[in-house]
Every structure is written in structure tokens, then in C-alpha cells.
Amino acid sequence: MNWQLPIGANVEEGGVHFRVWAEAVREVEAVLFGPEGQEIGSYPLQRHSDGHFEGFIEGIGDGARYMYRLDGSKLRPDPASRFQPESVHGPSQVVSSAYNWQDDGWQGLPLEEMIIYEVHIGTATPEGTFTSFIEKLDYLKSLGVTTIEIMPVGDFPGERNWGYDGVSLYAPARPYGGPQGFKRLVEAAHERGLAVILDVVYNHLGPDGNYLRDFSSHYYTQAKKTPWGDALDYTAEAVREFFISNALYWAHEYHLDGLRLDATHAILDDSPVHILAELVARVRTSLPPTRQFVIFAEDERNEVKVLLPPEEGGLGLDGVWADDFHHEIRSNLAGDNEGYYADYSGEADEIAQTLNRGWFFAGQASRVSGQKRGTQAPTTDPPHFVYTLQNHDQIGNRAVGDRLNQGIGLDAFRAASALLLLSPYTPLLFQGQEWAASTPFAYFTDHNEELGKLITAGRTQEFASFSGFQGLQVPDPQAFSTFQNSKLNWRELEEPDHAHTLTLYHDLLALRRNLPILRHRRRQEVQSAAVDSDAIALRYSPPGSLESLLILVNLKGTLDLALSAQAITTPPPNQTWQLLLSTDDPRYGGDIPLAQARKGIEEGQAHSATPVTYVLAAGA
């Protein structure tokens, strides 16, 4: 890979080359700092007609600290800094792109093989660092996970943050261990056959430490608004390059296997070629043809154009977070019906419709707004949709950061988990989900005192009108205890309920990995239907094959179903259903031994007085 970052500080023979876009100013100096923070030299950079300044400083290299002085007064860190050793407000540090990678044989993973595990580095281990998370990779490999998705690591103000307030987008966060720690984690994952995806934020920067406007007024436009204020202006060529180069940077300098683009519905661009289409194309053409690199979107619009290739009028991304599945399941099991949940009934028929087409809203009107939402995606295969029962948003954006398993019975959680992991869609787990972790994942920040007070007040006000959160004490985002309480408690794995749930996840992922019928998961091979008021059948029947797999899910209430009563649950001619797994097995914390459940299935009856998922394979 011969790619080189076109901006920032690049180590070359004999010194360091600096380049920054600062069209709003007349003069830029690169100012060097000594070990005690003292200024030890200032070097004017040459201005070019496109607003870039650049220059070469001899005799310095990896580890040198610097800032840019704008028009003789403002000292600012490099917008493309590779590392901020003190804070996002302090000097940047020169970091060589060279690294002795040991993953030459690694080519990434195809989308169809991805089972994603989302992690927040700061809370995934007691130490909260890249290096400490390396110790968990063997556990994840054993679990059956194939891909780690890391929440944003671009440096942020303070010592703790979700990452969506990042302002140094090229600088792996100081508290996590910086550039070298991140590279060691990626390399260690590849050694174990695990892919690594990074969550990146290209729709806004955080409010604290964001100095882009000091370099150019064209980073933002007042003509377009997002939930975070003025939109980034992607019609400006240098702005497009800043974010596209960031994607290329992670692919090349950090050997990442993909990106998850945050809130792409808030990336507002009316250029002839949308920035996302250009980003995807640039990343693809920069990598060898054999290199697998996937790009996901978080996009609430349910628009198939996100996934369609450019020649069909699309943006060309590989996958999209499809939250309708989560919303329907949560509405059914936990009874949520306020906010965006008001659009979802949680009824078995709606869940089945969602499973049949990827998302529920596919052009029909919203019950809340009355506006039509979404499009059909009849030719898009299921792996392109990411499904989840829990993720950072759906936990952390609740008042106290409580998890789904804490609001429903474990039997229902087990049943829903089986549907998630055996559905044809790409599953995403949130850290600790596999053992029904009890630790919350609350919203936490470490902003300056003035901004912190606003964040704290706003968080409390946000939940004041929700009936489900009345009487709850919303954790203060600025309090260290809120962050500390969100750290995973790995000791829970020794407790029976958690251990039983973990065993279920192991077995479900083994089925997903080992059953040939689950490997390709084309849309024409799978169908779903409601078979009772709270029961759903999901059936795999590849055309031209006698193979058949039935996932029968009872989310609540009593299930009493004659399997031959409905077409979707009737076995193929001259075959019977064989029970492979029941989530009510005592080995998973349930009450009905597998042999007892199997007897009922052999008699053609599916019966349960509690939530359960049965996994049935057709056989002679």
C-alpha cells in the first residue's frame, strides 16, 4: 500500500513535511514545542492558491510536538493530527506512518461472514485501553464473533466520551492508548482471524475543541442544518478531501476492515456526486482487488439507494443499520410506545413483515408524522441489513442506560436472541449482551465545566416528558461514576444466569456457522409469517432443495401450534421436523429438557407456556 496522507505532518527523509488547509488566514507558522511545553522554533509555511499551506522542517521526526500559529496569534492543533498527547486543545504530535505489520496474509472478511460485536474501548475492560482489550480477543473468537466494531476513537475533550464528540478525527484517543495501541489491537485481531470495523463520524464534530472554523469558514454552511447545528459543507473540495482522506487513512495506516458511518441521513450534500458515493469509490479503488473492506451506514430513512450501486442511482455502501427490527422487538417485549416507538406495534405480523423485507417501513406512512417513509428493497439480500437487539444508542439513549434483558424475563431475552442470531440478516451484539450483562451503558462526557452544566441539564430535560422514565434519577453525564458504572463486569460470567445465557449464544453462533443452509442467506431462500398472536415462523427453503430449516419463536404467552396447520410450519413432503435447539433447555437456564420438547415436536406439536425459540431441521 503506497498511499500517503495528503495533509497533516508526514515523516520523510531528513525531516517532516507539513500541509494544512487554512484559506481563511494569510499566514501559517508551524510552531515546535519542547518537552516542558516551551516554544522552541517557528517556521512559516508557504501559501498556495487553493488555500493550503505547506513546508518542510529539517532535523525533526517521530515524536516532535507542534501547533499551527494562524496570522501571528492563534495557536491551534493540527486538524489532521495523528496524536494529541496532552488534550485536544494542546500540541499535536508527529507520528510516523511506518509500523512493522505482521498481517500480510490477511485479506479481511466478506460481508456474509460477519457477526459483529460492538465495543466501547473505555468501558469494555477495567483498564479501558486498546491493549487491555487484546486480552478479550480469544474469548470473542471462541464465542463465534467474526468482526469487532469499535465505537469512534477520534480524540475527544476530557478523559471519557462515547466518541461522537470527537474533534481530532485522525488521532486515536489518548485515554485508550493512542496510535500504537490501536495498531497493536488491529494486528492482534487479524492474528486471530477477526475483522475490525471502526465507527466514524462525518456528519458533525463535537463542540469542545473544534477549531475548524479558525482555519476556514467553508468547513460549514449556514444553508443546511443538522441536529448539531450548521451542516458540514461537502461542496467545498478541501472539506470533501478532509473526510475522504480520513476513511483512506483508517484503511491504509491502520489496516482496518471497514467503517460504520454515523448518521448518514445527516450528511447533507447536493453535489453532482454525493460525498458518500465518492468516499466508497475512492476507498475501493485504493485497495487491492483481493482486499475485503465493508462500509456500513447508520441511516434512519430506510432508503435502498444507500445500498444500490452508483450505476443504479445509489451510493454503493455495503450495508445499513436496520433499526426497525429492534424497535418492533422492543415494543413487543418491553411495551415501549413513546417517541419513535410510537410507530411500531410490536405485533407478530409486523415483525414477520420486517423479517421479509429488511425493514418495516418500506413506503407506507408513519403513524406519528403521516409522512411516507422508506422504500422497498426486493433485490437486496439480507446480509446487507444489520440487525440488533442492543447497541450503544438503544441502550445509552435511555434515561438510565438499562439493557433490554433488564426489562424483560430472561426466557423472552433468550427467545429473541435466537431469532436475531439465526435470522438471515447480519447480527450485531453489544458488549456483554451475550451473557445478559447487568451493567448499564449510560451517556457520559467529560466536557469543561460550563459546557458540562448544559449537558447535564439537557439530559435531565430530555426525559422529563417520557412516562416510562418518571421517578428515575437520570445519571449525570459529567459524573465519573456514570462512566465507571458503565464498565463491563466480567466477573458476572461466573454467575449461573449469565453463564447459561453465554452458553446459549455459543450454541446459536455455532449453528449459524456450521449449518450449510445459513451460509448464503439469499432473499428468495427465506420467508417469515406470524403463526400466532405473539409467535413468528422464519423458514429457510432454498429453491430446488429438500433442505429446510424452521425457526419458531414464541415471544410471550402460550404457544400451542399444530405444525401441519400452516404452510410455513409444515415439513417438506415425506420428512419430519427434528429439534436442534430449544432456548428453554435447562443448559440455557430454561425449564424444559430438550428430550421432552423433542417428543412434542416429533408428534407434530409445538407447545410452550413461556417464551421460547425452537430450531427445527427437516429430515427423513
Side-chain angles (χ1 to χ4, degrees), residues 103-318:
D103 63 351
D104 289 345
W106 176 255
Q107 295 297 324
L109 288 180
L111 174 63
E112 291 77 10
E113 295 181 16
M114 289 190 164
I115 297 164
I116 304 173
Y117 192 88
E118 186 185 20
V119 297
H120 177 272
I121 290 297
T123 59
T125 63
E127 301 84 355
T129 64
F130 297 125
T131 300
S132 63
F133 192 69
I134 291 174
E135 300 171 7
K136 303 301 181 185
L137 296 180
D138 289 332
Y139 160 84
L140 293 177
K141 179 72 173 179
S142 173
L143 174 63
V145 164
T146 66
T147 304
I148 302 161
E149 180 177 310
I150 298 174
M151 288 173 64
V153 301
D155 211 354
F156 44 76
E159 300 297 317
R160 54 193 180 272
N161 198 281
W162 276 17
Y164 301 94
D165 291 317
V167 291
S168 294
L169 303 190
Y170 289 77
R174 222 171 356 91
Y176 301 160
Q180 298 306 309
F182 193 21
K183 289 178 180 178
R184 284 194 293 270
L185 171 56
V186 174
E187 185 173 66
H190 291 170
E191 287 174 2
R192 292 160 174 81
L194 298 170
V196 182
I197 291 173
L198 181 64
D199 193 347
V200 292
V201 185
Y202 296 157
N203 52 64
H204 78 287
L205 276 75
D208 187 3
N210 176 7
Y211 296 111
L212 291 184
R213 292 182 194 268
D214 289 335
F215 289 85
S216 172
S217 60
H218 293 297
Y219 270 106
Y220 294 89
T221 173
Q222 295 181 359
K224 302 185 184 78
K225 302 294 180 182
T226 74
W228 305 279
D230 291 346
L232 289 157
D233 187 0
Y234 297 108
T235 64
E237 187 61 31
V239 177
R240 294 174 77 89
E241 283 298 319
F242 180 82
F243 289 98
I244 291 173
S245 292
N246 186 258
L248 291 164
Y249 169 74
W250 295 122
H252 288 270
E253 287 200 17
Y254 285 84
H255 288 205
L256 292 180
D257 304 295
L259 300 172
R260 181 262 193 190
L261 310 183
D262 180 67
T264 52
H265 50 268
I267 295 178
L268 309 178
D269 183 24
D270 50 15
S271 303
V273 176
H274 195 284
I275 184 174
L276 293 182
E278 182 179 351
L279 183 151
V280 170
R282 293 268 298 277
V283 171
R284 298 234 185 283
T285 56
S286 76
L287 294 169
T290 55
R291 186 74 166 90
Q292 302 277 353
F293 193 91
V294 296
I295 303 178
F296 294 103
E298 180 203 21
D299 201 299
E300 63 186 18
R301 296 171 295 184
N302 291 8
E303 292 286 350
V304 72
K305 71 177 183 182
V306 172
L307 301 172
L308 293 177
E311 56 268 25
E312 296 180 25
L315 300 178
L317 278 77
D318 297 283

Side-chain angles (χ1 to χ4, degrees), residues 51-62:
H52 282 91
F53 289 76
E54 64 182 317
F56 183 80
I57 302 179
E58 295 181 347
I60 63 170
D62 194 34

